Amino acid sequence: MLGNHSVTMNCTAPFQTSPRDQLAPMSSTATRLLQPARHSMAAWLSSSSTRCARPPRLVLGIETSCDDTGAAVLDEAGRVLGEALQSQKEVHLKAGGIIPHVAQQLHRENIQQVVKEALSTSGVSVNELAAIATTVKPGLALSLEVGLQYSLQLVDRYQKPFIPIHHMEAHALTIRLTEQVEFPFLVLLLSGGHCILAVARGVSDFLLLGQTIDIAPGDMLDKVARRLSLIKHPECQGMSGGKAIEHLAQTGNWQRYTFRLPMQQYRNCDFSFSGLQSLVNKAIIQKEKEEGIQEGELLSCINDIAAAVQHVVAAHIIQRTHRAMLFCIKNSILLPKTATLVVSGGVASNQYIRKGLQTLANANGFAFLSPPPRLCTDNGVMIAWNGIERLHARHGVLYNTDGIRYEPKAPLGIDISKRVEEDSIKVPRLRKIQCDLP
């Protein structure tokens, strides 16, 4: 599966009610960049002096980066006091994809009720909050705008500190809410909009090793699902594209087609899925001709195609992640005894991809961690937790919001991807992973 040539397969306004009701040696510069952070959230939380000095601070997190409106209230010990989430999935499934202005309108219609529900469930008033944290980057511009505008209204009305959140940082740090993991660690962020490999050295302190140069894996899986018209499949009604692919792949044979792994000639940690999508589309067109059907009709070998697509996506992700592991160990960015791979984001809930990454981690002596599936997708909990992390680190807490803007595109951390490519690390063929995957 991980050879150098191919993978083989077969066929609004603030609340108007009362607050309670609203609810190789490296250069000296590179060496300095790679020094691990010393922050320990676990040690901090266990400090009796910190616990006794004052009651836990509370943060409201608000998430509107794409098509889910989420809100949650957390205390600084990581307890989720209240949360609410309104998904737009069904609306966008019928439309064949996310339509930005529709997403914006739905956020506007839902945000007040979602925040009110999170606060009401928590039993916390806005006045009791230590801060309000909100996703401001990256994401759909029209969606980000709704969350930011609404949050700033709350901040102005109740005179609360504001914590702007980087959406991908929030995904990366969610694991520290559910597991006692110390910095630094390797993190792989897989979603419908992103595919990133980075080293998390601390709160808002990342080294970017590689990222997708075109589209994200979740986006590719959704587009293949639409091309296969999986929404018409009786077993896939109501499922997102990626979920439909994963479901059908369970009974498919991935060994009935051959797709070349992307970017084999580049020894870096970047990803590419658009060319792969084109190859899959050509295979679908060929099968439609062979079966004498039109686009929009279901192929007889649809399960095999789903399995093939899922397999090659997993293989590509595993191969690039393997190189990142080898780079981090070679350059002492991570130590072999404590090396950890964290996988987060919506696509991290795919059990086939997750199993492959787990096997990769085991083969390289890395611990493997991933948040629960419900925290892998977009939600208010991860935003509130990132706010807690920043509040404790005293980083990015704003008492004046003049000039704050949303950013549809925003890099994560310091980009050292060229350094990875310069190392030109060859990834060995991992037969164990090939055998372990179904």
Side-chain angles (χ1 to χ4, degrees):
M1 182 185 78
L2 298 177
N4 292 328
H5 302 293
S6 66
V7 175
T8 304
M9 14 190 146
N10 221 354
C11 185
T12 35
F15 305 125
Q16 299 303 313
T17 55
S18 66
R20 176 66 66 177
D21 294 332
Q22 308 160 8
L23 292 179
M26 303 179 70
S27 67
S28 59
T29 300
T31 302
R32 188 168 61 253
L33 290 176
L34 300 180
Q35 292 299 315
R38 300 299 181 189
H39 169 66
S40 170
M41 176 65 77
W44 168 67
L45 288 176
S46 65
S47 166
S48 59
S49 61
T50 299
R51 290 201 311 269
C52 296
R54 50 172 169 68
R57 291 175 291 184
L58 309 172
V59 171
L60 168 66
I62 297 176
E63 156 64 18
T64 64
S65 67
C66 190
D67 60 338
D68 288 328
T69 311
V73 178
L74 270 66
D75 68 16
E76 58 188 329
R79 287 185 289 264
V80 181
L81 306 181
E83 64 174 312
L85 183 70
Q86 181 64 50
S87 175
Q88 303 176 8
K89 182 180 72 173
E90 291 186 9
V91 173
H92 296 300
L93 273 176
K94 293 176 182 178
I98 297 174
I99 302 173
H101 74 270
V102 173
Q104 180 188 49
Q105 182 59 35
L106 291 172
H107 281 307
R108 284 174 173 164
E109 293 173 4
N110 294 324
I111 191 167
Q112 180 166 322
Q113 182 56 38
V114 166
V115 173
K116 180 179 180 179
E117 182 180 338
L119 287 165
S120 177
T121 303
S122 70
V124 172
S125 71
V126 179
N127 284 323
E128 294 173 279
L129 296 172
I132 296 171
T134 303
T135 306
V136 300
K137 60 184 177 182
L140 296 177
L142 295 179
S143 295
L144 290 169
E145 181 184 27
V146 175
L148 179 58
Q149 286 184 349
Y150 187 82
S151 298
L152 292 182
Q153 288 175 331
L154 284 180
V155 166
D156 289 344
R157 179 175 177 180
Y158 294 94
Q159 294 299 295
K160 295 295 177 180
F162 181 65
I163 307 177
I165 299 297
H166 190 298
H167 184 74
M168 303 315 295
E169 176 181 321
H171 273 305
L173 299 185
T174 299
I175 193 64
R176 285 167 50 84
L177 171 63
T178 61
E179 304 282 347
Q180 288 192 351
V181 55
E182 299 295 331
F183 298 118
F185 55 85
L186 178 64
V187 61
L188 171 64
L189 302 175
L190 303 168
S191 71
H194 301 274
C195 189
I196 294 172
L197 270 166
V199 176
R201 301 188 303 171
V203 178
S204 195
D205 184 4
F206 292 83
L207 299 175
L208 178 65
L209 305 181
Q211 61 187 325
T212 180
I213 62 172
D214 39 57
I215 63 175
D219 186 21
M220 181 223 167
L221 292 172
D222 285 346
K223 287 176 177 176
V224 170
R226 286 199 293 273
R227 182 61 183 79
L228 288 169
S229 300
L230 296 191
I231 195 171
K232 297 180 180 179
H233 196 288
E235 297 179 18
C236 301
Q237 294 178 0
M239 290 184 181
S240 66
K243 280 293 181 185
I245 292 284
E246 182 180 8
H247 174 74
L248 294 178
Q250 293 175 2
T251 53
N253 179 2
W254 64 264
Q255 294 179 304
R256 296 185 56 193
Y257 295 92
T258 299
F259 293 132
R260 183 181 177 87
L261 276 176
M263 301 188 72
Q264 289 296 286
Q265 68 274 36
Y266 299 105
R267 291 187 181 179
N268 56 32
C269 288
D270 288 334
F271 304 83
S272 174
F273 296 94
S274 62
L276 181 56
Q277 181 193 334
S278 297
L279 291 176
V280 173
N281 285 344
K282 289 179 181 178
I284 293 171
I285 292 170
Q286 181 61 35
K287 291 301 297 182
E288 287 173 341
K289 290 179 179 178
E290 291 176 10
E291 296 189 9
I293 67 172
Q294 300 294 318
E295 179 177 343
E297 299 180 67
L298 297 177
L299 289 165
S300 63
C301 60
I302 205 166
N303 295 57
D304 295 331
I305 293 177
V309 170
Q310 179 178 252
H311 185 78
V312 71
V313 167
H316 182 41
I317 291 170
I318 289 168
Q319 186 186 63
R320 314 313 275 190
T321 304
H322 191 187
R323 180 172 287 113
M325 288 177 166
L326 297 176
F327 173 81
C328 288
I329 296 299
K330 174 188 174 185
N331 292 285
S332 299
I333 300 172
L334 300 176
L335 300 178
K337 290 185 178 180
T338 57
T340 299
L341 171 65
V342 171
V343 183
S344 190
V347 178
S349 62
N350 180 294
Q351 294 303 305
Y352 187 88
I353 295 174
R354 187 184 287 227
K355 180 179 179 182
L357 290 165
Q358 169 83 72
T359 307
L360 173 70
N362 293 344
N364 285 272
F366 274 60
F368 177 85
L369 294 174
S370 184
R374 77 177 191 88
L375 293 181
C376 283
T377 52
D378 296 348
N379 59 85
V381 172
M382 70 179 195
I383 305 305
W385 174 249
N386 198 169
I388 291 290
E389 291 259 33
R390 282 175 169 257
L391 198 63
H392 171 241
R394 297 180 181 179
H395 181 85
V397 181
L398 305 181
Y399 297 87
N400 185 329
T401 58
D402 290 348
I404 189 72
R405 299 286 185 271
Y406 58 86
E407 301 174 47
K409 295 183 179 180
L412 179 67
I414 301 168
D415 188 348
I416 63 166
S417 57
K418 294 298 182 183
R419 175 72 175 94
V420 178
E421 192 162 24
E422 288 170 4
D423 269 16
S424 190
I425 297 173
K426 182 178 181 180
V427 176
R429 185 180 181 89
L430 291 183
R431 297 185 183 277
K432 177 176 174 53
I433 292 179
Q434 185 176 5
C435 293
D436 282 356
L437 286 176

